[in-house]
C-alpha cells in the first residue's frame, strides 16, 4: 500500500488536550517531525533550523541528514523525524543497556544489540528527542497510572484500579488451521488472561510516546528530566489520537523546567507523512472499487435482489407475539389456548396456523399474586383486501380469543378465564394486559364440584366473549348470565404493516379515494376506531332521544337555536 498524503487523515475532533483523526491508510505510513529548541518564556521559536555547526567532530554522534557534519551532544535545537513505533534510544537507555547484567527480558537484550550496532556505526543521531514504543516499560506504567485530575493526592477509585488491569493490547494473530474456518462462538474453558482481556468491550490500542530529555548541560540521561512531548494512540478502527495536536497553524508548545536554572523549552509537531503520487492514488481507488464491487455482489447473492411486495389494494400484517405471563388465578399449573378470528376481507396463507396452546406452567409467588411465566412465542401473517362495497368503511381488525385453563394432579382441567384482544392497528411494540372472566353457577354445590371433580361451566362458542360472528340480530341479550372476574394475561406484540399505499405521499394524491389509502396516516392514529365508535354511539343516542321527545318540544328547541345564531 502506497503512502497516503497527510490530508487523508480526516479530523474527527480536536481540543486543547489533543485531536482525533481517522485514516484508512496503514498506520505504518505515519511519520511525525518534532523540533525542540531551548528558549526563553518570551522568545519565539525560530521558523527554520539554523545551519549545522562546522566545528570539530565528536565521536559517536552523526548528522541527521547524513552530510558528514557533526553536532555537539547538547545543542540548543534539535529536529527529528519519527515513524510509527520507531525506536529512538535516550541517553539513559544507552547507559543502561550497555551493562549486560541489566538486560533481563528478551526485549532488553534486543535493545542492547541494537545499541551496540549503533555504536559501531558511529552513534545515534538523536540527542534530546527519543521515543518509547508500545512494548516499553514506560508505556505500561503510564497506562496503569492514568490520572483524572491534576491533583498530586488523587486516589484512584476501585473501578479505575480494576480497569487499569485490563490492558488494551493487540492480540497476537495466530494462523488459522484450514479445517477451522469459522471462529469459536463459545469458549468452554476460558483462561484468566482471556477473561481479563474480554470481560469489557474495548478496542485494542497501540501507544507511542515522543519524549524529550530537557536536562541541563552535563546532566543528560536522568529520568527526572524526561518529559512527554507527544502521545500517539492508534486503534484497530483507524482512529489516531494525537496529544497535543499538530502545530500546523498554531504556535509552539512550551515546557518550563524547574531546576538549578529555570529554563523554557519550545517544540513543534508536524505531520511528515509522504504524499501519495496521483497515479498511485488512482490505482488504489481502482483496487478499492473492485473490492467493494465484489463485496456488494457477495451480499446481493446472500440477500437476493427480489423483494416480495404485496398486491395493489392489499395490506399485509405481520405479528410476532409473545404470551408473557398470567397472574391472579385461583389454581396452579396454568396453560393458555388461543386462536385468531379473521373478519370479512381478511385472509391468511395456507401454512399459517391461527391457533395454539402454550406449555403448562407452574405459578410463582410475586407480591400478592401468583404469576405463571410462559414466554410463549407465536407468529401471525394476514392479508386485508379492499372490497368495492367497503370503500367508505373502516376495516375490522382480527381478534385474538383465548382461554386460561388449569391442570390438577389427576389431569383434570378447569376453565380459569376467558378473554379477547383486538390486534393493534398501529405498527410497533405493544405491551397489553387483558383481564379475564369465567361463567359461574350459584350455590355451594357448583364450587364443590369445581374443586373435587374439576368440572365448571364453559362457553360453547368462545367468540361469545365479544359479539359472536354467527349473531345476525340487532341486540344481543345476556340477561341472567353470571360471570366472575379472575386474573389477567400479559401479551407482547410486535406489529409490522406492508402495503403499496404507504409509498404514496400526500403530495402525490389529490384526494383519499379509499380506506386503504388512509392506512398510511392511520398508523399514527391508533385511537381512530375508538373515536369513530364513540361518535356513532353518541349519534344513535341522540336519534333515540329525539324520537322519544314530543314534537312540539323539538320544534321549540330548534327555533331557540335558530334565534341564538342570528346576529
Amino acid at each position: 500500500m502506497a503512502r497516503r498524503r497527510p490530508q487523508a487523515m480526516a479530523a474527527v475532533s480536536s481540543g486543547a488536550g489533543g485531536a482525533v483523526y481517522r485514516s484508512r491508510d496503514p498506520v505504518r505510513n505515519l511519520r511525525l517531525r518534532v523540533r525542540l529548541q531551548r528558549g526563553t518564556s518570551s522568545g519565539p521559536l525560530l521558523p527554520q533550523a539554523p545551519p549545522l555547526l562546522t566545528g570539530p567532530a565528536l565521536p559517536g554522534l552523526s548528522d541527521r541528514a547524513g552530510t558528514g557534519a557533526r553536532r555537539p551532544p547538547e545543542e540548543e535545537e534539535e529536529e527529528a523525524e519519527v515513524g510509527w513505533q520507531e525506536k529512538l534510544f535516550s541517553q539513559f537507555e544507552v547507559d543502561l543497556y550497555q551493562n549486560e547484567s541489566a538486560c533481563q527480558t528478551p526485549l532488553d537484550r534486543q535493545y542492547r544489540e541494537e545499541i551496540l550496532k549503533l555504536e559501531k556505526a558511529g552513534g545515534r543521531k538523536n540527542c534530546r528527542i527519543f521515543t518509547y514504543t508500545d512494548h516499553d516499560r514506560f508505556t505500561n506504567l503510564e497506562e496503569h497510572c492514568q490520572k483524572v485530575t491534576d491533583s498530586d493526592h488523587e486516589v484512584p477509585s476501585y473501578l479505575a484500579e480494576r480497569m487499569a488491569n485490563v490492558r488494551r493490547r493487540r492480540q497476537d494473530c495466530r494462523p488459522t488451521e484450514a479445517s477451522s474456518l469459522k471462529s469459536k462462538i463459545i469458549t468452554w474453558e476460558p483462561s484468566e488472561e482471556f477473561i481479563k482481556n474480554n470481560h469489557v468491550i474495548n478496542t485494542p490500542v497501540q501507544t507511542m510516546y515522543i519524549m524529550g530529555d530537557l536536562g541541563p548541560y552535563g546532566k543528560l540521561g536522568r529520568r527526572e528530566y524526561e518529559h512527554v512531548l507527544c502521545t500517539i494512540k492508534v486503534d484497530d478502527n483507524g482512529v489516531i489520537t494525537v496529544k497535543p495536536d499538530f502545530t500546523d497553524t498554531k504556535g509552539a508548545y512550551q515546557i518550563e523546567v524547574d531546576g538549578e536554572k529555570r529554563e523554557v523549552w519550545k517544540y513543534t509537531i508536524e505531520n511528515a507523512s509522504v504524499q501519495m503520487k496521483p497515479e498511485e492514488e488512482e490505482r488504489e481507488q481502482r483496487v478499492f472499487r473492485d473490492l467493494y464491487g465484489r463485496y456488494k455482489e457477495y451480499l446481493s447473492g446472500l440477500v437476493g435482489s427480489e423483494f416480495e411486495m404485496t398486491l395493489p389494494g392489499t395490506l399485509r400484517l405481520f405479528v410476532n407475539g409473545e404470551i408473557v405471563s398470567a397472574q391472579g388465578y385461583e389454581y396452579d399449573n396454568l396453560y393458555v389456548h388461543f386462536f385468531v378470528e379473521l373478519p370479512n376481507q381478511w385472509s391468511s396463507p395456507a401454512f399459517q396456523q391461527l391457533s395454539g396452546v402454550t406449555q403448562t406452567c407452574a405459578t410463582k409467588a410475586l407480591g400478592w399474586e401468583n404469576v405463571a411465566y410462559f414466554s410463549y412465542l407465536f407468529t401471525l401473517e394476514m392479508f386485508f383486501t379492499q372490497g368495492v362495497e367497503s370503500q367508505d368503511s373502516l376495516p375490522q381488525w382480527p381478534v385474538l380469543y383465548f382461554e386460561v385453563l388449569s391442570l390438577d394432579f389427576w389431569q383434570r382441567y378447569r376453565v380459569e378465564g376467558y378473554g379477547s384482544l383486538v390486534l393493534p392497528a398501529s405498527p410497533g411494540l405493544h405491551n397489553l394486559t387483558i383481564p379475564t372472566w369465567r361463567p359461574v353457577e350459584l350455590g355451594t354445590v357448583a364450587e364443590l364440584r369445581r374443586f373435587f371433580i374439576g368440572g365448571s361451566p364453559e362457553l360453547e362458542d368462545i367468540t361469545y366473549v365479544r359479539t359472536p360472528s354467527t349473531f345476525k340480530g340487532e341486540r344481543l341479550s345476556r340477561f341472567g348470565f353470571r360471570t366472575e372476574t379472575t386474573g389477567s394475561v400479559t401479551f407482547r406484540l410486535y406489529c409490522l404493516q406492508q402495503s403499496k399505499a404507504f409509498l404514496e405521499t400526500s403530495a402525490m394524491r389529490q384526494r383519499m379515494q379509499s380506506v386503504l389509502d388512509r392506512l398510511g396516516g392511520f398508523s399514527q392514529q391508533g385511537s381512530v376506531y375508538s373515536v369513530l365508535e364513540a361518535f356513532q354511539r353518541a349519534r344513535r343516542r341522540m336519534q333515540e332521544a329525539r324520537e322519544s321527545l314530543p314534537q312540539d318540544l323539538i320544534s321549540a328547541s330548534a327555533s331557540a337555536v335558530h334565534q341564538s345564531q342570528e346576529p
Side-chain angles (χ1 to χ4, degrees):
M1 182 69 68
R3 300 187 185 277
R4 186 175 300 277
R5 61 171 66 95
Q7 288 80 0
M9 289 176 51
V12 178
S13 64
S14 61
V20 179
Y21 300 88
R22 184 181 293 274
S23 176
R24 295 179 302 174
D25 201 50
V27 69
R28 63 176 179 270
N29 297 336
L30 176 65
R31 297 193 66 84
L32 288 83
R33 183 181 296 110
V34 181
R35 186 179 175 205
L36 180 65
Q37 176 187 353
R38 187 198 303 268
T40 59
S41 58
S42 58
L45 187 66
L46 298 178
Q48 296 181 356
L52 298 175
L53 301 178
T54 58
L58 297 178
L61 294 174
S62 61
D63 174 44
R64 64 173 292 272
T67 58
R70 302 291 180 173
R71 298 185 188 184
E74 300 172 359
E75 60 177 338
E76 300 286 339
E77 181 179 352
E78 183 177 345
E79 180 178 338
E81 187 173 310
V82 183
W84 174 247
Q85 297 298 336
E86 181 180 352
K87 179 63 178 177
L88 299 181
F89 294 100
S90 64
Q91 184 63 41
F92 175 81
E93 291 176 318
V94 171
D95 298 338
L96 175 65
Y97 293 126
Q98 283 183 350
N99 185 7
E100 188 175 0
S101 60
C103 302
Q104 302 176 357
T105 63
L107 183 62
D108 295 344
R109 290 188 286 271
Q110 177 185 347
Y111 283 168
R112 171 179 168 80
E113 295 178 359
E114 293 180 2
I115 290 175
L116 294 178
K117 290 181 181 179
L118 286 176
E119 293 295 333
K120 294 180 180 179
R124 58 194 180 99
K125 299 179 181 180
N126 60 304
C127 179
R128 292 185 178 271
I129 299 177
F130 61 96
T131 61
Y132 285 126
T133 61
D134 188 65
H135 302 287
D136 287 337
R137 301 173 185 174
F138 178 84
T139 306
N140 301 335
L141 293 176
E142 282 293 313
E143 288 186 354
H144 285 274
C145 301
Q146 291 289 341
K147 289 188 176 182
V148 180
T149 65
D150 56 356
S151 175
D152 297 334
H153 305 286
E154 177 186 349
V155 178
S157 62
Y158 174 78
L159 179 60
E161 291 180 351
R162 298 292 294 179
M163 291 299 296
N165 295 325
V166 183
R167 301 184 60 232
R168 301 194 297 174
R169 280 286 177 267
R170 187 188 306 273
Q171 305 297 326
D172 295 335
C173 298
R174 298 180 179 179
T176 307
E177 297 180 1
S179 58
S180 59
L181 297 178
K182 296 183 180 180
S183 59
K184 291 184 178 180
I185 300 178
I186 300 176
T187 303
W188 297 105
E189 297 180 358
S191 61
E192 295 183 1
E193 185 70 18
F194 179 84
I195 297 174
K196 185 172 63 175
N197 293 332
N198 293 275
H199 81 283
V200 294
I201 299 177
N202 53 37
T203 304
V205 174
Q206 286 186 311
T207 309
M208 177 181 179
Y209 293 91
I210 300 178
M211 309 291 295
D213 190 346
L214 309 183
Y217 292 110
K219 295 184 179 180
L220 291 182
R222 295 189 180 184
R223 281 295 181 91
E224 59 267 19
Y225 295 118
E226 294 183 0
H227 293 268
V228 178
L229 303 182
C230 183
T231 304
I232 306 102
K233 295 183 178 181
V234 179
D235 63 10
D236 282 352
N237 298 325
V239 178
I240 303 174
T241 305
V242 182
K243 182 179 181 181
D245 194 9
F246 300 119
T247 55
D248 296 332
T249 58
K250 307 174 184 178
Y253 300 107
Q254 68 177 20
I255 299 177
E256 295 184 1
V257 182
D258 295 332
E260 300 176 357
K261 182 180 179 182
R262 188 179 184 86
E263 296 179 345
V264 176
W265 291 84
K266 297 184 179 182
Y267 67 97
T268 59
I269 308 171
E270 300 176 5
N271 185 0
S273 303
V274 179
Q275 294 187 359
M276 179 184 291
K277 297 180 180 180
E279 56 272 14
E280 294 177 347
E281 184 176 5
E282 184 179 356
R283 184 169 60 253
E284 184 182 271
Q285 292 298 328
R286 287 198 303 267
V287 172
F288 277 126
R289 284 195 296 267
D290 183 60
L291 177 62
Y292 295 153
R294 293 184 180 181
Y295 185 69
K296 184 178 179 181
E297 293 177 358
Y298 170 72
L299 294 180
S300 300
L302 293 178
V303 178
S305 58
E306 297 182 358
F307 184 76
E308 184 179 358
M309 290 292 296
T310 58
L311 298 176
T314 303
L315 171 69
R316 195 176 193 176
L317 175 63
F318 294 93
V319 178
N320 291 326
E322 177 187 0
I323 302 178
V324 180
S325 61
Q327 51 274 343
Y329 291 98
E330 182 178 2
Y331 291 99
D332 199 352
N333 297 327
L334 303 176
Y335 66 96
V336 180
H337 174 229
F338 66 94
F339 75 93
V340 178
E341 183 187 35
L342 299 179
N344 295 332
Q345 302 175 355
W346 285 86
S347 61
S348 63
F351 61 85
Q352 177 63 61
Q353 294 184 358
L354 298 178
S355 62
V357 181
T358 68
Q359 74 278 10
T360 303
C361 183
T363 59
K364 175 184 178 182
L366 185 63
W368 295 95
E369 293 183 343
N370 294 326
V371 183
Y373 292 98
F374 298 104
S375 298
Y376 181 84
L377 304 178
F378 60 92
T379 302
L380 301 174
E381 180 181 354
M382 295 154 285
F383 296 92
F384 171 76
T385 304
Q386 182 71 52
V388 180
E389 66 279 359
S390 60
Q391 290 289 332
D392 299 329
S393 62
L394 289 172
Q396 295 182 359
W397 287 81
V399 181
L400 188 148
Y401 295 94
F402 63 93
E403 58 178 338
V404 183
L405 303 100
S406 61
L407 196 67
D408 63 4
F409 177 77
W410 303 103
Q411 300 300 313
R412 298 173 302 189
Y413 70 91
R414 307 179 184 88
V415 175
E416 299 293 337
Y418 294 97
S420 63
L421 165 65
V422 179
L423 296 183
S426 58
L429 171 62
H430 303 272
N431 292 307
L432 305 173
T433 300
I434 308 300
T436 60
W437 55 267
R438 66 178 181 88
V440 295
E441 289 181 299
L442 295 179
T444 310
V445 178
E447 292 298 325
L448 291 175
R449 184 186 303 111
R450 170 179 167 83
F451 180 81
F452 288 104
I453 303 179
S456 59
E458 302 179 16
L459 296 177
E460 293 183 359
D461 185 5
I462 195 175
T463 59
Y464 194 77
V465 175
R466 294 171 55 87
T467 303
S469 57
T470 57
F471 178 74
K472 302 299 180 181
E474 295 181 356
R475 293 178 177 86
L476 177 62
S477 177
R478 299 187 180 183
F479 181 75
F481 184 69
R482 298 180 181 273
T483 60
E484 179 184 359
T485 302
T486 54
S488 60
V489 180
T490 301
F491 292 85
R492 181 179 293 118
L493 304 177
Y494 298 86
C495 300
L496 174 66
Q497 297 178 6
Q498 181 185 8
S499 175
K500 287 188 176 181
F502 297 157
L503 301 178
E504 303 175 5
T505 60
S506 58
M508 298 171 57
R509 296 194 300 261
Q510 298 297 330
R511 62 186 182 89
M512 291 183 292
Q513 300 177 356
S514 64
V515 177
L516 189 61
D517 292 333
R518 296 194 292 269
L519 288 176
F522 175 66
S523 300
Q524 287 79 26
Q525 302 174 3
S527 61
V528 65
Y529 276 122
S530 59
V531 173
L532 291 180
E533 290 178 358
F535 175 76
Q536 292 176 359
R537 289 195 301 269
R539 185 176 182 180
R540 286 195 300 267
R541 288 197 298 268
M542 183 180 296
Q543 291 177 354
E544 294 174 358
R546 288 174 63 89
E547 293 176 358
S548 62
L549 291 176
Q551 188 66 26
D552 55 352
L553 183 57
I554 296 176
S555 59
S557 60
S559 61
V561 171
H562 178 70
Q563 292 177 2
S564 64
Q565 292 178 353
E566 293 180 354

